[in-house]
Amino acid sequence: MPAPAHCPLCGAPLRATRVSAPDRLVTGEGPFRVWECRACELGHVSVEELDRYYGGAYFESFYEHELAPDAGVLVRLRSAYRARAARRRFSRAPFAPVGPPGRVLDVGCGGGALLAHYRALGWQPFGIEVSEAAAAAARAQGATVHLGTLADQPWEPANFDLVVFSHSLEHIPEPLTALRGACELLAPGGTLVILAPNWRCWQRFVLRSFWFPLDLPRHVNHFSPRALAVAARRLGLETQAIGTSSTIIAVSYSLHYLIARRWTPGWRLWLAYALGLALYPPVLALDRLLGGDACYAILRRAVNTL
Ligand SMILES: [Zn+2]
């Protein structure tokens, strides 16, 4: 892999870290090394032909399909648990509280779960998605979805009251370009929400290359509260909140990688779910003390931008 030259967020020089991991989810290739910005501590991976690392397994794994009629008890329990966990996640920062209903754009909307949540609250839901299967699932939930990227999106400037990157910005090689594009779509007074894995989370230092949110090489940029604060300054947005949050899935999937070394559906995945549930209370306690596995920013575009 070529050594990356400069930080894609602030332009400062990068240094090599000791963090490297193979692609445990799709191809098994690697390892890929993470570089880190000396100034804003953004983690960065230099990857050629990034599309190669998104196989069917990637999108199959990360949005909920309709349950098959013959789904077993465990699969039904998992589905119910996921739906409950999503409701809890969406009812907290950075997704709530939000202002009065308007037009919301979810960049990288996946199967549309977050958009369905906003729609139920009276928002008009719009999405951008590169996966055709995920876009179709989001449309089935009532969202208007552009199949493509921010670079070829069809909407006029200042069209949205809320723009969300929920676990999507870390996939984009030029994050500043994407964020500037999102800001153009934001109406004056509108809100930009970013949620991404927390590169500085204690879990990464313990679980090392098995820490699931690394997801190399698809996660080309690795954010932290500090990097998000730098992004806010570079975008000229007002910071309403920057913080961290926790997801049980980071624990369960990391344990799965520790047990199976790579994504292996079957009993080793179910064992990891059970261990993750058992370990979640102490993990959550440490997250509250040291910071969770995801970091977020709630940023606002000034009303007067003359
Ligand atoms: Zn930087």
Side-chain angles (χ1 to χ4, degrees):
M1 285 298 141
H6 292 98
C7 172
L9 193 58
C10 78
L14 297 166
R15 64 175 168 217
T17 70
R18 298 163 72 98
V19 180
S20 71
D23 175 4
R24 298 186 190 276
L25 185 64
V26 179
T27 66
E29 292 177 20
F32 303 89
R33 183 163 299 281
V34 183
W35 294 61
E36 187 175 54
C37 174
R38 291 168 185 270
C40 77
E41 76 183 16
L42 183 88
H44 180 71
V45 182
S46 181
V47 192
E48 288 168 348
E49 299 179 63
L50 193 53
D51 289 353
R52 289 184 50 236
Y53 300 97
Y54 290 85
Y58 181 80
F59 293 109
E60 292 297 316
S61 306
F62 289 103
Y63 68 92
E64 192 75 46
H65 296 271
E66 282 183 29
L67 278 176
D70 60 346
V73 173
L74 279 178
V75 172
R76 286 179 187 279
L77 271 175
R78 181 178 65 183
S79 178
Y81 184 86
R82 280 182 177 168
R84 180 170 157 268
R87 279 196 301 276
R88 283 166 61 99
R89 199 166 61 248
F90 297 157
S91 67
R92 296 175 179 174
F95 302 119
V98 288
R103 292 160 66 89
V104 54
L105 174 66
D106 186 354
V107 183
C109 64
L114 180 60
L115 287 175
H117 167 78
Y118 281 121
R119 184 168 179 245
L121 296 176
W123 288 73
Q124 268 185 279
F126 297 82
I128 296 178
E129 178 51 54
V130 292
S131 158
E132 205 166 336
R139 287 185 186 124
Q141 304 234 40
T144 301
V145 181
H146 168 65
L147 183 62
T149 69
L150 263 173
D152 52 25
Q153 60 80 23
W155 295 292
E156 295 293 319
N159 199 35
F160 297 100
D161 306 289
L162 174 62
V163 177
V164 179
F165 289 84
S166 176
H167 288 287
S168 57
L169 190 62
E170 64 270 26
H171 294 266
I172 301 175
E174 294 295 337
L176 206 53
T177 307
L179 288 170
R180 283 182 174 139
C183 286
E184 277 181 28
L185 290 172
L186 209 54
T191 302
L192 176 69
V193 164
I194 304 166
L195 179 69
N198 178 13
W199 166 244
R200 302 299 296 177
C201 179
W202 67 274
Q203 294 177 25
R204 174 180 60 87
F205 295 94
V206 174
L207 291 158
R208 304 166 74 91
S209 84
F210 298 106
W211 192 52
F212 178 80
L214 281 177
D215 197 24
L216 303 181
R218 284 162 296 279
H219 290 183
V220 286
N221 291 304
H222 299 258
F223 295 87
S224 64
R226 187 166 147 195
L228 291 175
V230 169
R233 278 201 298 278
R234 298 218 65 180
L235 296 167
L237 297 177
E238 174 193 314
T239 299
Q240 298 215 303
I242 286 182
T244 72
S245 61
S246 304
T247 50
I248 189 169
I249 221 63
V251 184
S252 292
Y253 286 175
S254 301
L255 291 169
H256 177 60
Y257 280 170
L258 264 172
I259 296 164
R261 304 286 147 167
R262 63 169 299 181
W263 187 257
T264 316
W267 69 268
R268 284 175 291 195
L269 187 53
W270 291 107
L271 175 63
Y273 285 137
L275 290 172
L277 271 175
L279 283 175
Y280 195 48
V283 167
L284 197 56
L286 280 171
D287 279 4
R288 289 197 171 132
L289 206 61
L290 304 170
D293 60 88
C295 57
Y296 66 80
I298 306 172
L299 312 173
R300 190 162 174 270
R301 181 176 166 186
V303 175
N304 185 354
T305 53
L306 291 178

